[in-house]
Amino acid sequence: MSFDAIVVGARVAGSPTAMLLARAGHRVLLLDRATFPSDVISTHLIHVPGMAYLRQWGLHDAVAAAGAPPHERFTMDFGPFAISAPPPAVDGAAHAYCVRRTVLDSILLDAARAAGVSVREGAAVSELILDDGGRVVGVRGEGFEEHARIVIGADGLRSTVAAQVGATRYAETPALTACYYAYYRGVEPREGAEIYQLGDRAVVLFPTNDNETCVFVACPIAQFHDFRTDVEANYAEALSRVPSVASRIAAASRSGRMHATADVPNFFRQSAGPGWALVGDAGYHKDPVMAAGITDAFVCAALLANAVHSGLSEGGNLDAAVAGYVEERDRRFLPALQLTCQLASMEPPTPEMAALFATIAASPAESTRFFGVLQGSTPIPEYFAPDNLGRIMSGA
């Protein structure tokens, strides 16, 4: 059987892409080397715009009812002051959720199946099939060979599809931080996410499923080797810098092991070519400082699915449509990639930036607009335009 599209990777980029294409009437095969439910390194956070996509797709209520509490507000604490406010609502969605990937990925995969996608778990793609002209026309793995008009790599940072087509990186900044996190049961709750900026450390608390909280510590990549010599002591030392957090963690119990990664480079990757495309972390990867990976994957899945549907339709030009998706993705996310690298550098804010943040913190309405920037609903260039910064500093 020949498919319209084969999607390699069935997590937060691949399952929505496959689902949307199937809902548009296309024959779609979705493959993943993993079986589900299964876990993966993640910040788990779905920002409000991501929940708005789930609402549009008919999946909001299932995710909201999956056991993670709604994040009523975000707090970014700089020590002398804290920016704290609810993020702005988007298209009827009002709250962010931090959902364990064992839960979220299964919901998305089930939705793809319900849309008519042919799903194969435990199916690792080892090779792309090319025609005589070099166009990708299918995939091979152990015991299978399948063909399609387009192969979409949604297979993450170490994408097999990207490696097979020789996709190059651009707008690249090497990893800036190393990240450690663990789950704690019974942490005294606040109203949502807590982010503490501590110079050469960041501490983040995300309430998640089963009365657990994901407690996240980041350090500059230059300190990674020193940190890993005694992870437990250095992790505890970072928490001790926020006594109110340390006391709540001390009263809780850890669930499972510590998770860690220092492999968080920042880049776009060439994401379209003859018969292939990349989506999610395979094509656009960045530091978790803004916890935007899942939300951005949803955005890119919708953009790519629309482009592929247009290209597969009668009279469509598939390669041109997919190239247009990449242009739109880069236009939309380049400012976010740049801001991510700025925040992940852990450089102390300039006096001007510190004054701006303090002014934002003093205004509940401005604090909400600021979190719109971090969640992706307020365009970054618009917010940091000189006229808008002048308005903020003048108290208008």
Side-chain angles (χ1 to χ4, degrees), residues 212-259:
E212 292 185 342
T213 298
C214 180
V215 182
F216 178 98
V217 171
C219 71
I221 195 68
Q223 298 181 24
F224 171 56
H225 292 293
D226 290 339
F227 196 108
R228 68 192 297 194
T229 59
D230 193 339
V231 170
E232 292 293 342
N234 286 308
Y235 182 87
E237 189 278 330
L239 299 182
S240 74
R241 299 189 194 185
V242 189
S244 63
V245 168
S247 62
R248 290 156 60 204
I249 300 301
S253 58
R254 185 187 293 182
S255 304
R257 64 181 180 85
M258 182 80 69
H259 303 261

Side-chain angles (χ1 to χ4, degrees), residues 16 21 38 50 56 60 70 116 122 128 133 142 158 190 193 220 225 242 250 252 308-309 332 338 342 350:
L21 287 172
S38 56
Q56 178 183 330
H60 177 283
L128 300 183
E142 186 175 351
R158 299 176 187 84
R190 297 293 188 260
H225 292 293
V242 189
V308 172
H309 172 60
R332 185 163 184 162
Q338 293 169 334
Q342 180 180 341
T350 64

Side-chain angles (χ1 to χ4, degrees), residues 85-86 360 362-370 383:
I360 292 169
S363 167
E366 202 57 57
S367 295
T368 287
R369 284 192 283 268
F370 174 76
Y383 191 81

Side-chain angles (χ1 to χ4, degrees), residues 277-302:
L278 302 177
V279 69
D281 282 352
Y284 163 43
H285 191 272
K286 64 277 183 193
D287 190 278
V289 65
M290 289 168 62
I294 296 173
T295 300
D296 291 354
F298 290 173
V299 174
C300 291

